[in-house]
Amino acid sequence: MSTDEQPDIPTLSRLLREIAGDELLPRFAQADAREKADGSLVTDADLAVQRRLLTALAERWPLIPLLGEEMPAAEQARLLADQDAALWCLDPLDGTSNFTCGFPGFCISLALLRAGQVELGLVLDPLRDECFSARRGQGAQLDGQPIRPYSPGVQLGDCLAMIDFKRLPKARVADLFGADSFRSQRNLGAVALEWCWLGAGRFQLYLHGGQGLWDHAAGRLIAEEAGAATRLYAPGGNAPETTLRLEKRIALGAANEDLLGQWQTRVALPMTLA
């Protein structure tokens, strides 16, 4: 294969499905988890997927290095320092807590970064055998079929919200509820899938208080290319972030810009991380 051949979604989708079938599905609900320094969990499944993809991607596209969640922070920072170079960004197992407990909400998230932005993204849900994908400027798909956001109404009260309360300041949580707030609330526990489900119309409002680059890179591109409105904010900031960074970001999303405007008012930025 030519080293300058552009990564394509069908090849990447087949690769993710093959590795998920080998490394994730046999270990589902049977993996032993270890706690990392930041309090998150890692399993042999996370590490196996990252090793397999590191090798497979290097064989096909040897000029594109890989930034993985399960890498030392110094190595991650070194790889991201050159924002103009092409770079894979991988979360080998998003939803590790779900995976170890047998809760059906986890995925592999893979993005291609180039020129300071996300160029391509894929998110594979192995249990549902759903592969979401997008290339910048070309829309978003679920297994090759276009996806679009959906809203049952024009007010927050018409909408289903996906909210991760654990990472929100406790003082802010009560303010999210009320007669003029969302119709109901859910939390899946797999960030990349949550972005994709927003893009596919499975809920209408989104709020998460602490996402790393590998959490939002692929899924957010998919949501945006589907037509959803999204924003990332630095903790304590009230201006949207546009630079790719490793630091945790507060994420907001909605089925359209009008709903996002109402949602931003309700959330009341700026906000710090919990």
Side-chain angles (χ1 to χ4, degrees):
M1 175 173 291
S2 171
T3 59
D4 61 358
E5 183 175 341
Q6 289 298 307
D8 65 283
I9 287 173
T11 298
L12 290 167
S13 177
R14 288 192 297 271
L15 181 61
L16 293 186
R17 280 189 160 104
E18 175 187 339
I19 292 175
D22 291 344
E23 308 294 352
L24 292 185
L25 293 181
R27 292 182 169 100
F28 178 48
Q30 301 180 52
D32 292 327
R34 304 178 295 281
E35 190 169 302
K36 298 189 290 188
D38 64 359
S40 63
L41 300 179
V42 65
T43 71
D44 289 342
D46 301 68
L47 301 176
V49 170
Q50 183 162 294
R51 285 194 300 268
R52 287 280 302 273
L53 276 169
L54 180 65
T55 300
L57 293 171
E59 288 176 351
R60 292 165 172 81
W61 299 284
L63 301 182
I64 306 177
L66 182 139
L67 183 157
E69 181 183 9
E70 308 306 334
M71 293 173 63
E75 179 68 3
Q76 293 170 343
R78 184 190 68 78
L79 288 167
L80 193 61
D82 185 357
Q83 292 263 321
D84 290 330
L87 178 68
W88 296 112
C89 182
L90 171 69
D91 190 338
L93 177 52
D94 182 19
T96 303
S97 295
N98 290 345
F99 182 79
T100 58
C101 294
F103 184 85
F106 62 90
C107 62
I108 302 174
S109 174
L110 180 68
L112 178 64
L113 317 181
R114 197 193 309 263
Q117 64 181 5
V118 184
E119 180 178 291
L120 180 151
L122 294 94
V123 175
L124 174 70
D125 178 345
L127 286 180
R128 296 173 182 83
D129 193 29
E130 292 185 333
C131 189
F132 298 88
S133 63
R135 188 181 294 275
R136 183 167 296 277
Q138 297 183 21
Q141 298 83 37
L142 168 55
D143 292 323
Q145 298 301 309
I147 56 172
R148 299 289 298 174
Y150 164 74
S151 177
V154 297
Q155 304 296 328
L156 297 185
D158 300 317
C159 298
L160 186 65
M162 187 76 73
I163 304 174
D164 184 273
F165 286 108
K166 180 180 179 180
R167 293 168 179 83
L168 302 180
K170 293 180 181 179
R172 291 294 190 88
V173 171
D175 294 336
L176 295 174
F177 293 87
D180 59 344
S181 190
F182 42 81
R183 181 176 298 278
S184 190
Q185 175 268 332
R186 306 288 187 269
N187 180 33
L188 181 59
V191 167
L193 273 185
E194 290 168 354
W195 282 117
C196 294
W197 285 20
L198 174 65
R202 296 176 183 178
F203 61 90
Q204 292 76 49
L205 304 173
Y206 188 43
L207 175 60
H208 192 285
Q211 298 190 2
L213 178 59
W214 42 82
D215 295 318
H216 61 73
R220 185 184 178 214
L221 175 69
I222 291 165
E224 288 186 333
E225 285 295 318
T230 80
R231 302 286 190 276
L232 294 178
Y233 294 90
N238 55 16
E241 285 277 314
T242 58
T243 304
L244 298 177
R245 301 182 186 276
L246 294 172
E247 293 81 8
K248 297 286 187 179
R249 292 293 178 253
I250 296 163
L252 278 80
N256 55 58
E257 287 286 348
D258 287 342
L259 283 171
L260 183 60
Q262 297 178 55
W263 190 224
Q264 287 175 303
T265 299
R266 188 76 191 195
V267 171
L269 295 165
M271 179 186 293
T272 57
L273 296 182

